[in-house]
Amino acid sequence: MASRTIPLRVPLDESGVPHPASAVAPPPRRPAADTASAPLQAATPLRDQGADMSLGTTITIEGDELREVFARLSPHLPPYLRKIGPRPYNGLSFEFAPFTGRENKPTTPQSFYDDPKLRFASQSDDPTEHLVRTAARTIMGDLIEAARGEWRDAAHVADLKAVVGNAPDRWRTYERELKALEAAYSYLRTPEAAKEWPSALSRLVDAQDRTSEAAVAFDERAEEIARVHDQHLYADLGHAAALARAGCPDAGDWHIVSADQYSNTWFSDWNTSVPLQERTRRLVAQQDAHVAKVGRLSGFPG
């Protein structure tokens, strides 16, 4: 997830989340003559830049100003925040208590918007207040954005846990039946098969039926999983990673296509992103066509 950061001239201390007790007196106001040299540098645009903040800039915060920013933010920090720390080069990182995915989506608290010390201040009217308040808005915005990213992933995983069910068992059943089908089909190419051709074909048909049934069973779970993936389209976790967190570490091997494919009753030949049932049907059709051709050419009934 892309994030916006504020480069710091001085690192944060190791106390983690700021508390109201750490508040210090507001820094002295700078004379108007100093505002032209306010420490701005080219970087990523801020989330909320204010009327006087030019595009393509990011704030550099000094020690006293940074402490004042957190003194004002402290009453509004969410309860799931565990720690704020500096990034290796600049900006801030956030550590949260684990989300279950069943909480409400993280949002900026209304108290933050209602706080008169955090409302917009024009740079021309008060450069120091403009700097502090803009930094506070940016930090809160980045914090909530980071929290939403983790919450979205947790919600994705929670919804997958609710639908996965016995999908791992059904996939293993499909793999086992497919392996048996491949063995039955390969056997037809051996000289021994010619001695028992009808029986060998019968075993092939049985294997085809079992594989098709296993494919249908897995598709029932796969469709539910695919719909959850669609619902969490903007989560950062990939499908396999989300399923792994949901208790299915081998799900990267599963054949799951987009949810809309499972309701289709017809597939064009060029469409390769098809449900497992359709993929198996195509395999069986290829095998049947081959057996029929062998029968025509060899005189064996096929």
Side-chain angles (χ1 to χ4, degrees), residues 66-247:
L66 182 62
R67 283 186 284 272
E68 174 63 16
V69 167
F70 282 113
R72 298 189 189 188
L73 282 175
S74 289
H76 313 292
L77 294 176
Y80 48 78
L81 177 64
R82 290 292 176 264
K83 186 176 181 180
I84 300 177
R87 293 185 185 276
Y89 298 102
N90 58 49
L92 302 174
S93 63
F94 306 98
E95 181 180 317
F96 306 107
F99 289 101
T100 66
R102 298 312 188 199
E103 309 90 347
N104 292 329
K105 181 173 72 172
T107 58
T108 302
Q110 185 60 42
S111 62
F112 176 86
Y113 297 113
D114 295 339
D115 192 332
K117 292 184 178 181
L118 293 171
R119 292 173 185 166
F120 174 75
S122 170
Q123 185 176 23
S124 59
D125 292 341
D126 193 326
T128 299
E129 280 298 307
H130 175 79
L131 182 69
V132 168
R133 297 184 187 199
T134 301
R137 285 198 305 270
T138 303
I139 291 172
M140 179 62 80
D142 286 350
L143 187 158
I144 296 300
E145 182 180 355
R148 285 178 178 175
E150 293 194 15
W151 173 83
R152 281 193 294 265
D153 287 344
H156 189 184
V157 171
D159 286 347
L160 284 173
K161 287 180 178 179
V163 302
V164 160
N166 62 350
D169 292 335
R170 294 191 181 194
W171 178 255
R172 283 190 290 269
T173 298
Y174 172 78
E175 287 190 310
R176 183 177 64 251
E177 297 300 344
L178 179 62
K179 185 176 181 179
L181 173 58
E182 291 170 344
Y185 184 64
S186 296
Y187 177 73
L188 297 181
R189 300 178 183 274
T190 66
E192 290 77 10
K195 302 174 185 178
E196 53 162 350
W197 190 250
S199 297
L201 288 181
S202 179
R203 290 195 296 272
L204 175 67
V205 171
D206 289 342
Q208 289 174 339
D209 291 344
R210 290 194 301 269
T211 305
S212 297
E213 291 170 1
V216 171
F218 179 77
D219 276 348
E220 291 175 355
R221 290 286 177 266
E223 180 176 3
E224 294 179 304
I225 292 170
R227 296 199 182 284
V228 170
H229 288 328
D230 281 0
Q231 292 167 7
H232 296 277
L233 183 63
Y234 298 105
D236 290 335
L237 277 179
H239 293 177
L243 281 165
R245 289 196 189 181

Side-chain angles (χ1 to χ4, degrees), residues 3-56:
S3 62
R4 301 177 176 87
T5 58
I6 300 180
L8 309 178
R9 279 189 177 175
V10 295
L12 295 178
D13 57 32
E14 298 180 354
S15 61
V17 178
H19 297 284
S22 64
V24 297
R29 300 185 185 277
R30 295 177 179 172
D34 292 340
T35 61
S37 60
L40 298 175
Q41 60 188 38
T44 307
L46 292 173
R47 176 192 308 279
D48 185 357
Q49 298 169 34
D52 298 322
M53 181 66 68
S54 61
L55 291 174

